Amino acid sequence: MNVIAPIREAASSHATEHFDVLIVGAGISGVGSAYQLTKQMPDKRFVILESQDSFGGTWRTHRYPGIRSDSDLHTFGYSFKPWVGPPIATAEEILNYMGDVIEENDLGRHIRYGHLILSASWSSATSLWTVQAVKGRDHEPVTFTTNFLWMCQGYYRHSKGYTPEWPDMAKFKGRIVHPQLWPEDLDLTGKQVVVIGSGATAATILPSIAGQCAHVTMLQRSPTYFRVGRNAIELAEELRRLQVKEEWIHEIVRRKILFEQDWFTKRCLTEPDQVKKELIGQISAILGPDYTAKHFTPSYRPWRQRIAFVPDADLFEGIKSGKASVVTDEIERFTEDGIKLKSGDELKADIIITATGFDLCVLGDIAFTIDGKPLDFADTVTYRGMMFTGVPNLAWVFGYFRASWTLRTDLVADFVCRLLAHMKEKGVSKVVPALRPEDHNMPLLPWIDPENFNPGYMMRNMHLLPKRGDKPEWQHSQDYWSEKDQIPAIDLDDPAFVYG
């Protein structure tokens, strides 16, 4: 039952607060965007609405064992705040880092926690967004108006993860758990555990619980690529020994990592067979060629799906120790005691963990309308993955898959601040992206090219996302190394921007 629906209409009867900018979400994107807004546009009055009880977004939602970043914190961290810990960090370390950013820059006074947004309505008559939300456990209705809406809520549903419907799941006598909703009372001691999935979440959980349960098996439909190495940056360690300032270390190490990521990404496209050999060779050196050939040799070229970094090879060391194992097979059905596989084998289990991915949602499950007409973002075309045709005064932060998400947060923040300043200079109250005359015969394509990047959570929900065109202006390229130059150079008087 939806307890929110009955109070949607009631929200409009309450007092309304107005802000120049309303930021949705106090996760890594929202906090970073707020910082940039305070520095670049200090005269703007803004608020951050966050549905959870505190900041952190992903790093507060996910509480499964061992949760850590799969991007290095020198680039996932903010450009303005040096990261001084190990490159792969725990959720707790990331939350502490974000907390320092909020405290050091007095951002807390701008954040309203426990505010769930229900709807956002644009009025051309007033050139304002009206945002209706509910706050607290009593779902008290609240209303805000804003000149500009800045969507920093991410791209997946925080309230639940994605779990496929397998036959006979109800027959299983044990417990089925999705990592996104990890129960505090889950005791794995002495249990037979099966983790379904092969991505970063499964690769994190398995070594974290291997020493606690009787045995843990990672059940995967197909293999995934991983990178392994020390959870340290030798250059950072050497610079610290030389007593170089942390601000300098942060910038130098960021540049080094970004250079190497660019080089590696290009090699995945130009030398896919060689890169595949190198990635698989790292694992083969630990587990042996036979085990690796069966369970860690993907059929696709590197970087068509995200490649997780496994610090200190803990996933593979756990398998080597015998405390964990991998099975590559498909699920036929659940049984009372575990999972029956299509090969005919059965995996016994007391607990089954479905590390099967995100449940993607577009722009926070908020009911958008423009002048009373419901807005379907799938009917729009994206402007560089930041704005949408026909949608006024709204920007969305959607990060990178092949580089750290936060890198794009900074780029989008600079763009939004420059756009707001340009609007003030022109004396206008509205900006709407629109296809130019030369764009009207442009083919409209899926948000991301499946041949380029095709994780399951994107493929399942591509029909919900805005369209892209075949020109740079009308697509989210996923290429930080091009966008870091292109986005700052955007001509704000280009006909793609219609002001009013």
Side-chain angles (χ1 to χ4, degrees), residues 451-485:
E451 291 300 313
N452 186 20
F453 191 78
N454 60 9
Y457 58 86
M458 295 296 296
M459 296 301 100
R460 289 192 301 270
N461 297 282
M462 195 74 78
H463 62 286
L464 302 175
L465 290 163
K467 303 295 186 291
R468 67 180 166 93
D470 63 354
K471 301 177 182 179
E473 297 88 344
W474 304 111
Q475 55 187 250
H476 180 359
S477 74
Q478 284 292 328
D479 184 355
Y480 166 75
W481 298 274
S482 298
E483 289 197 331
K484 70 180 178 60
D485 299 320

Side-chain angles (χ1 to χ4, degrees), residues 65 182 186-193 209 212-214 351 353:
W182 194 271
L186 187 63
D187 184 6
L188 303 174
T189 306
K191 299 292 197 303
Q192 293 287 339
V193 180
I209 67 175
Q212 181 182 356
C213 50
I351 296 169
I353 299 169

Side-chain angles (χ1 to χ4, degrees), residues 24 51 116-117 151-162 180 357-368 376-378 388 396-398 401 405 447 456-458 460-466:
V24 179
S51 63
L116 176 65
I117 298 175
M151 306 299 296
C152 297
Q153 82 299 331
Y155 63 100
Y156 71 91
R157 193 165 284 111
H158 284 255
S159 59
K160 67 184 184 75
Y162 171 73
Q180 195 169 314
F358 298 125
D359 193 11
L360 185 144
C361 70
V362 180
L363 294 165
D365 286 332
I366 297 167
F368 281 87
D376 184 348
F377 283 93
F388 312 100
W396 185 22
V397 177
F398 195 112
F401 295 118
W405 184 275
W447 171 267
Y457 58 86
M458 295 296 296
R460 289 192 301 270
N461 297 282
M462 195 74 78
H463 62 286
L464 302 175
L465 290 163

